[in-house]
Amino acid sequence: MYKYLRIGILLFILLTVAVSAWQTQTKLRGWKSTLQVAVFPINADGSPASQRYIAALDASRVEAIGDYLGEQAKHHGLAMLYPVRISLGPSILRLPPPQPYGGGILNAMRWSLEMRWWAWRNTPATAIRPDVRLYLLYYDPATRAVVPDSAGLAKGQLGIAHLFASPRQHGSNLVVATHELLHTLGATDKYDQGNQQPRFPEGYAEPERKPRWPQQMAEIMAGRIPVDETHANIPENLDETLIGPQTAREIGWLKN
Ligand SMILES: [Zn+2]
């Protein structure tokens, strides 16, 4: 009985949060004013390498995401000079709650609530109140070969990107951060969850290209450049990606 009461209360809170987040997202996807995005670096593994990388992180380097989105929006005919403005906020010391592995939908919903609570408690104030908050968690590549999966809370206006604290990875870090940012605006993944391959045609940057493989670029929500039917490469920087028409529709740039 107690368990059902707890689940009932959790569902009620989630419904309230979901409705208000949906209203905000609908407003943001109207693109009536510049979307303000604040990014906050976090030393995820407590390493000196991550600390050095964060200390050297320059605002202009993350602002590249805003320039990229401006170019892509123009390509899709959005009549706005600066659709997205990225600003670099101070780094945050306390880590966000870890994402649940497997564990079903209730765990995922609980995590999304914990994440909102953590963000509310730990996000420092910035000069401009951000519409979207992106948390960049850095790890020393010398001590680990893989980082956890990143997550953009659909309809949550906050995203988490797990990244390598290495100047060599800076370009691909921006690709991951942009991918998660687009999730917060309603964009969906365009790759096969089983084998990570981009889905055709929506996950291809140039679906009309003949021959179809190798592709030269990645659709940002597919995240990889397909080189043949079963292989795809990770793009090294945003220049190797574009926003396809389906993603543009999902985030409100294209109306049909
Ligand atoms: Zn994704």
Side-chain angles (χ1 to χ4, degrees), residues 150 179-180 183 188-189 191 221:
S150 295
H179 176 107
E180 300 312 327
H183 269 315
T188 60
D189 283 323
Y191 60 87
M221 297 312 290

Side-chain angles (χ1 to χ4, degrees), residues 39-42 89-97 113-126 130 133-135 158 160:
V39 301
F40 301 94
I42 299 175
S91 67
I92 297 175
L93 297 178
R94 193 179 291 250
L95 295 180
L113 274 187
E114 285 172 359
M115 197 45 226
R116 286 177 168 89
W117 175 255
W118 170 88
W120 181 68
R121 300 266 302 172
N122 294 287
T123 308
T126 42
R133 290 159 291 172
L134 262 186
Y135 304 96
L158 47 97
I160 289 192

Side-chain angles (χ1 to χ4, degrees), residues 134-179:
L134 262 186
Y135 304 96
L136 309 182
L137 279 79
Y138 290 99
Y139 301 82
D140 180 359
T143 57
R144 59 158 74 208
V146 289
V147 290
D149 288 338
S150 295
L153 255 65
K155 304 182 180 69
Q157 287 87 48
L158 47 97
I160 289 192
H162 296 278
L163 308 168
F164 284 115
S166 156
R168 274 183 50 225
Q169 302 265 7
H170 183 72
S172 57
N173 284 348
L174 290 183
V175 174
V176 175
T178 307
H179 176 107

Side-chain angles (χ1 to χ4, degrees), residues 81-135:
L81 201 51
Y82 301 109
V84 180
R85 182 178 176 273
I86 311 276
S87 55
L88 178 64
S91 67
I92 297 175
L93 297 178
R94 193 179 291 250
L95 295 180
Q99 278 162 256
Y101 284 97
I105 191 146
L106 267 183
N107 273 341
M109 291 199 292
R110 186 174 294 123
W111 177 74
S112 101
L113 274 187
E114 285 172 359
M115 197 45 226
R116 286 177 168 89
W117 175 255
W118 170 88
W120 181 68
R121 300 266 302 172
N122 294 287
T123 308
T126 42
I128 300 171
R129 191 181 136 80
D131 299 306
V132 175
R133 290 159 291 172
L134 262 186
Y135 304 96

